[in-house]
């Protein structure tokens, strides 16, 4: 496994921390491996930990009363998940399922709170990052609520083309993941791709 501080520095939540703080933070985490198809936590479980994905891929899935499952988010390498539920002192709102063999850093609530008491300025740095993320999410929500599926799809494809530096590129994700990313369902995405 990569050095803990290096992994944590790549995560958005901890990007503002100093190397010494990252080294200390890495010491309060435990690590775990979960095979493909494994459940990390279930919707409704008490949120006592949050996670950083070191290797692999994880789906966060919400179940309806009728038993249908909806992909809420696909967690990629280096991303943090379940932090909001843990900090809120609530239950996990989704089930976390590994899509491939995965390695994770696990931050227990008690250990993290103890760390923050020793490093009180860390919480201010983390709040700054979370505030920026909230602004970004509010902007994204505005785009999703105002634009049509075709305009959101076109905007996404244009941005990817610009990022990739050419007119042709591989999406690198499943259709359902792209549909989720632009705020629609796979069938509607397929219809809009066909129109294009």
């Amino acid at each position: 496994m990569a050095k803990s501080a290096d992994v944590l520095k790549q995560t958005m939540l901890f990007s503002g921390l100093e190397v010494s703080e990252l080294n200390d933070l890495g010491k309060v985490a435990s690590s775990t491996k979960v095979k493909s198809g494994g459940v990390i936590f279930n919707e409704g479980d008490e949120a006592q930990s949050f996670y950083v994905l070191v290797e692999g891929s994880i789906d966060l899935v919400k179940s309806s009363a009728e038993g249908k499952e909806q992909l809420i988010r696909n967690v990629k390498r280096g991303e943090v998940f379940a932090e909001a539920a843990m900090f809120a002192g609530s239950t996990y709102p989704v089930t976390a399922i590994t899509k491939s063999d995965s390695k994770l850093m696990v931050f227990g609530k008690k250990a993290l709170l103890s760390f923050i008491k020793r490093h009180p300025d860390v919480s201010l740095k983390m709040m700054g990052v979370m505030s920026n993320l909230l602004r970004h999410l509010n902007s994204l929500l505005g785009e999703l609520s105002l634009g049509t599926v075709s305009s959101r799809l076109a905007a996404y494809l244009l941005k990817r083309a610009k990022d990739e530096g050419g007119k042709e590129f591989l999406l690198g994700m499943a259709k359902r993941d792209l549909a989720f990313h632009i705020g629609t369902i796979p069938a509607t995405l397929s219809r809009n791709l066909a129109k294009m």
Side-chain angles (χ1 to χ4, degrees), residues 119-156:
H119 301 273
D121 54 329
V122 165
S123 60
L124 293 175
K125 293 175 183 177
M126 289 169 55
M127 285 193 319
V129 170
M130 292 174 95
S131 295
N132 287 333
L133 179 59
L134 184 58
R135 274 199 296 272
H136 169 72
L137 290 175
N138 282 334
S139 172
L140 183 60
L141 183 59
E143 291 172 15
L144 289 174
S145 62
L146 296 175
T148 63
V149 171
S150 58
S151 66
R152 294 194 307 265
L153 175 59
Y156 174 80

Side-chain angles (χ1 to χ4, degrees), residues 2-17 22 52-54 76-80 105:
K3 186 178 174 189
S4 295
D6 295 334
V7 172
L8 295 173
K9 185 67 177 174
Q10 300 306 311
T11 66
M12 184 180 291
L13 184 61
F14 303 123
S15 59
L17 274 59
L22 291 168
V52 174
L53 181 58
V54 179
K76 304 268 192 304
R77 186 172 182 258
E79 291 183 344
V80 176
M105 293 178 74

Side-chain angles (χ1 to χ4, degrees), residues 31-103:
S31 62
T32 188
K33 295 179 182 180
V34 183
K35 293 282 188 188
S36 179
V39 174
I40 299 164
F41 55 77
N42 284 297
E43 183 177 342
D45 288 350
E46 188 177 356
Q48 287 297 315
S49 302
F50 75 92
Y51 305 82
V52 174
L53 181 58
V54 179
E55 290 178 21
S57 179
I58 294 168
D59 279 347
L60 303 182
V61 178
K62 181 89 174 163
S63 298
S64 70
E66 297 80 31
K68 293 183 179 177
E69 291 186 340
Q70 171 68 46
L71 175 68
I72 300 300
R73 177 180 158 208
N74 175 253
V75 181
K76 304 268 192 304
R77 186 172 182 258
E79 291 183 344
V80 176
F81 64 102
E83 74 283 5
M86 192 203 78
F87 285 127
S90 63
T91 59
Y92 295 118
V94 294
T95 297
I97 304 167
T98 55
K99 285 181 69 176
S100 61
D101 291 355
S102 300
K103 293 181 183 178

